[in-house]
Structure formats: structure tokens, C-alpha cells
mmCIF file of all heavy atoms in Angstrom:
data_model
loop_
_atom_site.group_PDB
_atom_site.id
_atom_site.type_symbol
_atom_site.label_atom_id
_atom_site.label_comp_id
_atom_site.label_asym_id
_atom_site.label_seq_id
_atom_site.Cartn_x
_atom_site.Cartn_y
_atom_site.Cartn_z
ATOM 1 N N PHE M 396 -211.821 67.871 16.013
ATOM 2 C CA PHE M 396 -211.134 68.472 14.839
ATOM 3 C C PHE M 396 -210.090 67.579 14.224
ATOM 4 O O PHE M 396 -210.042 67.358 13.043
ATOM 5 C CB PHE M 396 -210.488 69.827 15.299
ATOM 6 C CG PHE M 396 -209.846 70.581 14.104
ATOM 7 C CD1 PHE M 396 -210.620 71.489 13.392
ATOM 8 C CD2 PHE M 396 -208.547 70.356 13.744
ATOM 9 C CE1 PHE M 396 -210.082 72.167 12.333
ATOM 10 C CE2 PHE M 396 -208.008 71.035 12.646
ATOM 11 C CZ PHE M 396 -208.785 71.949 11.943
ATOM 12 N N VAL M 397 -209.202 66.958 15.058
ATOM 13 C CA VAL M 397 -208.190 66.128 14.516
ATOM 14 C C VAL M 397 -208.790 64.908 13.865
ATOM 15 O O VAL M 397 -208.305 64.329 12.902
ATOM 16 C CB VAL M 397 -207.080 65.754 15.520
ATOM 17 C CG1 VAL M 397 -206.237 66.983 15.883
ATOM 18 C CG2 VAL M 397 -207.635 65.087 16.765
ATOM 19 N N ARG M 398 -209.909 64.381 14.486
ATOM 20 C CA ARG M 398 -210.567 63.172 13.911
ATOM 21 C C ARG M 398 -211.149 63.527 12.536
ATOM 22 O O ARG M 398 -210.899 62.767 11.541
ATOM 23 C CB ARG M 398 -211.669 62.696 14.805
ATOM 24 C CG ARG M 398 -212.437 61.528 14.305
ATOM 25 C CD ARG M 398 -213.548 61.040 15.260
ATOM 26 N NE ARG M 398 -214.454 62.048 15.622
ATOM 27 C CZ ARG M 398 -215.527 62.404 14.919
ATOM 28 N NH1 ARG M 398 -215.760 61.808 13.703
ATOM 29 N NH2 ARG M 398 -216.356 63.354 15.307
ATOM 30 N N ARG M 399 -211.895 64.643 12.436
ATOM 31 C CA ARG M 399 -212.605 64.947 11.168
ATOM 32 C C ARG M 399 -211.665 65.446 10.094
ATOM 33 O O ARG M 399 -211.870 65.195 8.924
ATOM 34 C CB ARG M 399 -213.699 65.966 11.487
ATOM 35 C CG ARG M 399 -214.894 65.339 12.268
ATOM 36 C CD ARG M 399 -215.938 66.338 12.647
ATOM 37 N NE ARG M 399 -216.455 67.053 11.425
ATOM 38 C CZ ARG M 399 -217.395 67.994 11.495
ATOM 39 N NH1 ARG M 399 -217.901 68.369 12.667
ATOM 40 N NH2 ARG M 399 -217.790 68.565 10.370
ATOM 41 N N ARG M 400 -210.681 66.206 10.499
ATOM 42 C CA ARG M 400 -209.830 66.923 9.495
ATOM 43 C C ARG M 400 -208.567 66.178 9.171
ATOM 44 O O ARG M 400 -207.917 66.395 8.128
ATOM 45 C CB ARG M 400 -209.450 68.352 10.021
ATOM 46 C CG ARG M 400 -210.768 69.201 10.204
ATOM 47 C CD ARG M 400 -211.515 69.441 8.879
ATOM 48 N NE ARG M 400 -210.627 69.882 7.859
ATOM 49 C CZ ARG M 400 -210.207 71.143 7.734
ATOM 50 N NH1 ARG M 400 -210.652 72.067 8.520
ATOM 51 N NH2 ARG M 400 -209.394 71.476 6.746
ATOM 52 N N ILE M 401 -208.079 65.259 10.046
ATOM 53 C CA ILE M 401 -206.839 64.568 9.774
ATOM 54 C C ILE M 401 -207.108 63.018 9.680
ATOM 55 O O ILE M 401 -206.798 62.413 8.651
ATOM 56 C CB ILE M 401 -205.766 64.895 10.882
ATOM 57 C CG1 ILE M 401 -205.480 66.380 10.890
ATOM 58 C CG2 ILE M 401 -204.472 64.102 10.561
ATOM 59 C CD1 ILE M 401 -204.525 66.805 11.984
ATOM 60 N N PHE M 402 -207.561 62.458 10.727
ATOM 61 C CA PHE M 402 -207.646 60.970 10.826
ATOM 62 C C PHE M 402 -208.612 60.340 9.843
ATOM 63 O O PHE M 402 -208.275 59.373 9.135
ATOM 64 C CB PHE M 402 -207.897 60.509 12.263
ATOM 65 C CG PHE M 402 -206.937 61.070 13.284
ATOM 66 C CD1 PHE M 402 -207.329 61.488 14.538
ATOM 67 C CD2 PHE M 402 -205.609 61.233 12.911
ATOM 68 C CE1 PHE M 402 -206.491 61.997 15.412
ATOM 69 C CE2 PHE M 402 -204.678 61.788 13.837
ATOM 70 C CZ PHE M 402 -205.126 62.179 15.080
ATOM 71 N N GLU M 403 -209.786 60.904 9.773
ATOM 72 C CA GLU M 403 -210.776 60.278 8.829
ATOM 73 C C GLU M 403 -210.384 60.438 7.374
ATOM 74 O O GLU M 403 -210.459 59.443 6.625
ATOM 75 C CB GLU M 403 -212.214 60.883 9.098
ATOM 76 C CG GLU M 403 -212.839 60.372 10.375
ATOM 77 C CD GLU M 403 -214.180 60.898 10.603
ATOM 78 O OE1 GLU M 403 -214.649 61.856 9.836
ATOM 79 O OE2 GLU M 403 -214.860 60.523 11.576
ATOM 80 N N PRO M 404 -209.934 61.665 6.918
ATOM 81 C CA PRO M 404 -209.512 61.749 5.502
ATOM 82 C C PRO M 404 -208.308 60.829 5.185
ATOM 83 O O PRO M 404 -208.184 60.415 4.032
ATOM 84 C CB PRO M 404 -209.059 63.215 5.410
ATOM 85 C CG PRO M 404 -209.825 63.934 6.448
ATOM 86 C CD PRO M 404 -209.957 62.952 7.586
ATOM 87 N N LEU M 405 -207.491 60.482 6.148
ATOM 88 C CA LEU M 405 -206.329 59.644 5.874
ATOM 89 C C LEU M 405 -206.624 58.152 6.210
ATOM 90 O O LEU M 405 -205.699 57.305 6.179
ATOM 91 C CB LEU M 405 -205.120 60.143 6.663
ATOM 92 C CG LEU M 405 -204.669 61.539 6.415
ATOM 93 C CD1 LEU M 405 -203.444 61.879 7.207
ATOM 94 C CD2 LEU M 405 -204.422 61.765 4.903
ATOM 95 N N ASP M 406 -207.850 57.810 6.570
ATOM 96 C CA ASP M 406 -208.260 56.434 6.861
ATOM 97 C C ASP M 406 -207.439 55.939 8.086
ATOM 98 O O ASP M 406 -207.142 54.723 8.173
ATOM 99 C CB ASP M 406 -208.047 55.579 5.657
ATOM 100 C CG ASP M 406 -208.767 54.219 5.807
ATOM 101 O OD1 ASP M 406 -209.834 54.191 6.466
ATOM 102 O OD2 ASP M 406 -208.295 53.185 5.248
ATOM 103 N N MET M 407 -207.126 56.820 8.989
ATOM 104 C CA MET M 407 -206.447 56.433 10.242
ATOM 105 C C MET M 407 -207.432 56.106 11.324
ATOM 106 O O MET M 407 -207.674 56.845 12.265
ATOM 107 C CB MET M 407 -205.432 57.549 10.692
ATOM 108 C CG MET M 407 -204.364 57.793 9.722
ATOM 109 S SD MET M 407 -203.293 59.285 10.199
ATOM 110 C CE MET M 407 -202.543 58.707 11.696
ATOM 111 N N ASN M 408 -208.032 54.949 11.122
ATOM 112 C CA ASN M 408 -209.199 54.555 11.986
ATOM 113 C C ASN M 408 -208.784 54.068 13.357
ATOM 114 O O ASN M 408 -209.664 53.852 14.209
ATOM 115 C CB ASN M 408 -210.010 53.508 11.253
ATOM 116 C CG ASN M 408 -210.608 54.002 9.927
ATOM 117 O OD1 ASN M 408 -211.072 55.120 9.807
ATOM 118 N ND2 ASN M 408 -210.466 53.163 8.905
ATOM 119 N N ASP M 409 -207.507 53.847 13.578
ATOM 120 C CA ASP M 409 -207.025 53.388 14.880
ATOM 121 C C ASP M 409 -206.303 54.518 15.603
ATOM 122 O O ASP M 409 -205.448 54.200 16.493
ATOM 123 C CB ASP M 409 -206.107 52.195 14.723
ATOM 124 C CG ASP M 409 -206.860 50.924 14.330
ATOM 125 O OD1 ASP M 409 -208.050 50.824 14.784
ATOM 126 O OD2 ASP M 409 -206.309 50.040 13.721
ATOM 127 N N THR M 410 -206.566 55.715 15.279
ATOM 128 C CA THR M 410 -205.933 56.883 15.909
ATOM 129 C C THR M 410 -207.008 57.827 16.432
ATOM 130 O O THR M 410 -208.018 58.029 15.797
ATOM 131 C CB THR M 410 -205.035 57.637 14.879
ATOM 132 O OG1 THR M 410 -204.093 56.705 14.331
ATOM 133 C CG2 THR M 410 -204.251 58.740 15.540
ATOM 134 N N GLY M 411 -206.733 58.372 17.637
ATOM 135 C CA GLY M 411 -207.682 59.293 18.177
ATOM 136 C C GLY M 411 -207.234 59.844 19.526
ATOM 137 O O GLY M 411 -206.093 59.594 19.956
ATOM 138 N N TYR M 412 -208.108 60.593 20.133
ATOM 139 C CA TYR M 412 -207.875 61.197 21.456
ATOM 140 C C TYR M 412 -208.241 60.144 22.474
ATOM 141 O O TYR M 412 -209.410 59.637 22.520
ATOM 142 C CB TYR M 412 -208.742 62.482 21.647
ATOM 143 C CG TYR M 412 -208.383 63.329 22.845
ATOM 144 C CD1 TYR M 412 -207.889 64.628 22.649
ATOM 145 C CD2 TYR M 412 -208.586 62.846 24.134
ATOM 146 C CE1 TYR M 412 -207.572 65.340 23.763
ATOM 147 C CE2 TYR M 412 -208.265 63.627 25.199
ATOM 148 C CZ TYR M 412 -207.756 64.892 25.018
ATOM 149 O OH TYR M 412 -207.420 65.719 26.093
ATOM 150 N N ASP M 413 -207.292 59.804 23.343
ATOM 151 C CA ASP M 413 -207.586 58.731 24.292
ATOM 152 C C ASP M 413 -208.534 59.228 25.394
ATOM 153 O O ASP M 413 -208.464 60.344 25.864
ATOM 154 C CB ASP M 413 -206.254 58.293 24.974
ATOM 155 C CG ASP M 413 -206.369 56.830 25.505
ATOM 156 O OD1 ASP M 413 -207.458 56.208 25.347
ATOM 157 O OD2 ASP M 413 -205.397 56.333 26.054
ATOM 158 N N SER M 414 -209.418 58.296 25.791
ATOM 159 C CA SER M 414 -210.401 58.620 26.819
ATOM 160 C C SER M 414 -210.505 57.429 27.741
ATOM 161 O O SER M 414 -210.678 56.257 27.295
ATOM 162 C CB SER M 414 -211.790 58.871 26.178
ATOM 163 O OG SER M 414 -212.804 58.816 27.166
ATOM 164 N N ASP M 415 -210.414 57.667 29.039
ATOM 165 C CA ASP M 415 -210.494 56.552 29.993
ATOM 166 C C ASP M 415 -211.849 55.920 30.033
ATOM 167 O O ASP M 415 -212.011 54.762 30.374
ATOM 168 C CB ASP M 415 -210.123 57.058 31.362
ATOM 169 C CG ASP M 415 -208.770 57.777 31.354
ATOM 170 O OD1 ASP M 415 -207.779 57.134 31.058
ATOM 171 O OD2 ASP M 415 -208.734 58.991 31.673
ATOM 172 N N ALA M 416 -212.891 56.668 29.625
ATOM 173 C CA ALA M 416 -214.227 56.177 29.663
ATOM 174 C C ALA M 416 -214.574 55.328 28.463
ATOM 175 O O ALA M 416 -215.455 54.402 28.505
ATOM 176 C CB ALA M 416 -215.217 57.377 29.772
ATOM 177 N N GLU M 417 -213.872 55.499 27.382
ATOM 178 C CA GLU M 417 -214.189 54.785 26.127
ATOM 179 C C GLU M 417 -213.702 53.308 26.180
ATOM 180 O O GLU M 417 -212.639 53.010 26.636
ATOM 181 C CB GLU M 417 -213.554 55.499 24.929
ATOM 182 C CG GLU M 417 -213.867 54.893 23.600
ATOM 183 C CD GLU M 417 -213.165 55.599 22.461
ATOM 184 O OE1 GLU M 417 -212.518 56.645 22.703
ATOM 185 O OE2 GLU M 417 -213.326 55.205 21.304
ATOM 186 N N VAL M 418 -214.561 52.403 25.685
ATOM 187 C CA VAL M 418 -214.141 51.038 25.483
ATOM 188 C C VAL M 418 -213.386 50.952 24.179
ATOM 189 O O VAL M 418 -213.990 51.094 23.090
ATOM 190 C CB VAL M 418 -215.331 50.058 25.508
ATOM 191 C CG1 VAL M 418 -214.894 48.620 25.230
ATOM 192 C CG2 VAL M 418 -216.037 50.151 26.848
ATOM 193 N N LEU M 419 -212.068 50.786 24.216
ATOM 194 C CA LEU M 419 -211.245 50.933 23.049
ATOM 195 C C LEU M 419 -210.588 49.578 22.729
ATOM 196 O O LEU M 419 -209.691 49.157 23.453
ATOM 197 C CB LEU M 419 -210.177 52.021 23.279
ATOM 198 C CG LEU M 419 -209.351 52.429 22.117
ATOM 199 C CD1 LEU M 419 -210.155 53.081 21.034
ATOM 200 C CD2 LEU M 419 -208.197 53.374 22.508
ATOM 201 N N PRO M 420 -211.035 48.885 21.721
ATOM 202 C CA PRO M 420 -210.424 47.612 21.355
ATOM 203 C C PRO M 420 -208.911 47.711 21.039
ATOM 204 O O PRO M 420 -208.496 48.709 20.522
ATOM 205 C CB PRO M 420 -211.175 47.162 20.082
ATOM 206 C CG PRO M 420 -212.435 47.930 20.144
ATOM 207 C CD PRO M 420 -212.118 49.214 20.778
ATOM 208 N N ARG M 421 -208.192 46.755 21.459
ATOM 209 C CA ARG M 421 -206.771 46.650 21.167
ATOM 210 C C ARG M 421 -205.908 47.790 21.798
ATOM 211 O O ARG M 421 -204.869 48.110 21.371
ATOM 212 C CB ARG M 421 -206.463 46.616 19.635
ATOM 213 C CG ARG M 421 -206.949 45.341 18.994
ATOM 214 C CD ARG M 421 -206.746 45.372 17.455
ATOM 215 N NE ARG M 421 -207.790 46.088 16.829
ATOM 216 C CZ ARG M 421 -207.600 47.263 16.264
ATOM 217 N NH1 ARG M 421 -206.393 47.832 16.253
ATOM 218 N NH2 ARG M 421 -208.628 47.903 15.666
ATOM 219 N N ARG M 422 -206.440 48.309 22.919
ATOM 220 C CA ARG M 422 -205.716 49.365 23.694
ATOM 221 C C ARG M 422 -204.627 48.674 24.515
ATOM 222 O O ARG M 422 -204.881 47.733 25.275
ATOM 223 C CB ARG M 422 -206.644 50.100 24.555
ATOM 224 C CG ARG M 422 -205.985 51.321 25.246
ATOM 225 C CD ARG M 422 -206.658 51.647 26.598
ATOM 226 N NE ARG M 422 -208.135 51.833 26.522
ATOM 227 C CZ ARG M 422 -208.722 53.011 26.551
ATOM 228 N NH1 ARG M 422 -208.053 54.109 26.678
ATOM 229 N NH2 ARG M 422 -210.035 53.039 26.533
ATOM 230 N N ALA M 423 -203.413 49.169 24.437
ATOM 231 C CA ALA M 423 -202.324 48.682 25.262
ATOM 232 C C ALA M 423 -202.446 49.264 26.676
ATOM 233 O O ALA M 423 -202.843 50.443 26.813
ATOM 234 C CB ALA M 423 -200.978 49.047 24.710
ATOM 235 N N ALA M 424 -202.210 48.484 27.703
ATOM 236 C CA ALA M 424 -202.141 48.981 29.074
ATOM 237 C C ALA M 424 -200.713 49.502 29.281
ATOM 238 O O ALA M 424 -199.748 48.972 28.719
ATOM 239 C CB ALA M 424 -202.459 47.886 30.024
ATOM 240 N N GLY M 425 -200.578 50.496 30.162
ATOM 241 C CA GLY M 425 -199.305 51.081 30.445
ATOM 242 C C GLY M 425 -198.708 50.551 31.761
ATOM 243 O O GLY M 425 -199.451 50.416 32.761
ATOM 244 N N TYR M 426 -197.385 50.257 31.791
ATOM 245 C CA TYR M 426 -196.770 49.715 32.914
ATOM 246 C C TYR M 426 -195.440 50.410 33.244
ATOM 247 O O TYR M 426 -194.930 51.122 32.376
ATOM 248 C CB TYR M 426 -196.405 48.174 32.710
ATOM 249 C CG TYR M 426 -197.698 47.366 32.336
ATOM 250 C CD1 TYR M 426 -198.040 47.159 31.047
ATOM 251 C CD2 TYR M 426 -198.437 46.813 33.358
ATOM 252 C CE1 TYR M 426 -199.151 46.425 30.765
ATOM 253 C CE2 TYR M 426 -199.542 45.982 33.121
ATOM 254 C CZ TYR M 426 -199.916 45.819 31.753
ATOM 255 O OH TYR M 426 -201.074 45.077 31.474
ATOM 256 N N GLU M 427 -194.929 50.158 34.436
ATOM 257 C CA GLU M 427 -193.612 50.640 34.768
ATOM 258 C C GLU M 427 -192.907 49.567 35.602
ATOM 259 O O GLU M 427 -193.543 48.842 36.322
ATOM 260 C CB GLU M 427 -193.646 51.976 35.549
ATOM 261 C CG GLU M 427 -194.420 51.920 36.851
ATOM 262 C CD GLU M 427 -194.461 53.266 37.508
ATOM 263 O OE1 GLU M 427 -194.495 54.312 36.802
ATOM 264 O OE2 GLU M 427 -194.524 53.269 38.787
ATOM 265 N N ARG M 428 -191.547 49.526 35.475
ATOM 266 C CA ARG M 428 -190.739 48.634 36.227
ATOM 267 C C ARG M 428 -190.143 49.433 37.379
ATOM 268 O O ARG M 428 -189.546 50.464 37.257
ATOM 269 C CB ARG M 428 -189.644 48.023 35.404
ATOM 270 C CG ARG M 428 -190.110 47.011 34.376
ATOM 271 C CD ARG M 428 -188.937 46.278 33.717
ATOM 272 N NE ARG M 428 -189.377 45.578 32.541
ATOM 273 C CZ ARG M 428 -189.934 44.373 32.600
ATOM 274 N NH1 ARG M 428 -190.116 43.783 33.741
ATOM 275 N NH2 ARG M 428 -190.330 43.794 31.442
ATOM 276 N N ARG M 429 -190.312 48.858 38.592
ATOM 277 C CA ARG M 429 -189.713 49.465 39.793
ATOM 278 C C ARG M 429 -188.883 48.443 40.499
ATOM 279 O O ARG M 429 -189.378 47.401 41.023
ATOM 280 C CB ARG M 429 -190.776 49.991 40.795
ATOM 281 C CG ARG M 429 -191.538 51.234 40.229
ATOM 282 C CD ARG M 429 -192.409 51.852 41.257
ATOM 283 N NE ARG M 429 -193.090 53.005 40.809
ATOM 284 C CZ ARG M 429 -193.826 53.750 41.641
ATOM 285 N NH1 ARG M 429 -193.941 53.439 42.865
ATOM 286 N NH2 ARG M 429 -194.445 54.818 41.119
ATOM 287 N N GLY M 430 -187.558 48.614 40.455
ATOM 288 C CA GLY M 430 -186.686 47.633 41.077
ATOM 289 C C GLY M 430 -186.843 46.259 40.473
ATOM 290 O O GLY M 430 -186.730 45.232 41.206
ATOM 291 N N GLY M 431 -187.151 46.182 39.166
ATOM 292 C CA GLY M 431 -187.322 44.866 38.563
ATOM 293 C C GLY M 431 -188.745 44.370 38.577
ATOM 294 O O GLY M 431 -189.103 43.346 37.898
ATOM 295 N N GLU M 432 -189.637 44.995 39.423
ATOM 296 C CA GLU M 432 -191.015 44.533 39.531
ATOM 297 C C GLU M 432 -191.938 45.324 38.552
ATOM 298 O O GLU M 432 -191.797 46.575 38.447
ATOM 299 C CB GLU M 432 -191.490 44.809 40.971
ATOM 300 C CG GLU M 432 -192.970 44.353 41.230
ATOM 301 C CD GLU M 432 -193.418 44.672 42.637
ATOM 302 O OE1 GLU M 432 -192.593 45.102 43.442
ATOM 303 O OE2 GLU M 432 -194.634 44.495 42.878
ATOM 304 N N LEU M 433 -192.759 44.651 37.886
ATOM 305 C CA LEU M 433 -193.676 45.286 36.915
ATOM 306 C C LEU M 433 -194.958 45.738 37.632
ATOM 307 O O LEU M 433 -195.565 44.964 38.400
ATOM 308 C CB LEU M 433 -194.041 44.304 35.784
ATOM 309 C CG LEU M 433 -194.737 44.879 34.578
ATOM 310 C CD1 LEU M 433 -193.839 45.811 33.788
ATOM 311 C CD2 LEU M 433 -195.211 43.748 33.647
#
């Protein structure tokens, strides 16, 4: 719904529902620092 009704009409081609299974170009990996260690 959000893809067809919001993102496609607005040409927001780099926005969507994240899926761990999808191969998504330019996807940032998420990290955390613990005691200074990444």
C-alpha cells in the first residue's frame, strides 16, 4: 500500500519496507558502540 499509494506517485524509488531477504543496493548496515568497540 505505501509503495503503490505514496512512494511510487512521489518518485521515492529509494524508499520502502525493509526486508532481510531482499538484496537492496546501497543499504546501510547497522552498528552499535559498546565500551568504544564497534
Side-chain angles (χ1 to χ4, degrees):
F396 185 89
V397 293
R398 176 178 60 81
R399 290 176 56 179
R400 298 298 309 279
I401 300 175
F402 304 141
E403 287 181 354
L405 301 182
D406 196 30
M407 294 174 66
N408 299 319
D409 285 331
T410 304
Y412 192 114
D413 204 1
S414 164
D415 305 300
E417 183 180 356
V418 176
L419 189 64
R421 293 176 280 108
R422 186 209 307 255
Y426 302 92
E427 59 182 32
R428 292 190 191 277
R429 291 191 178 184
E432 179 185 354
L433 193 67

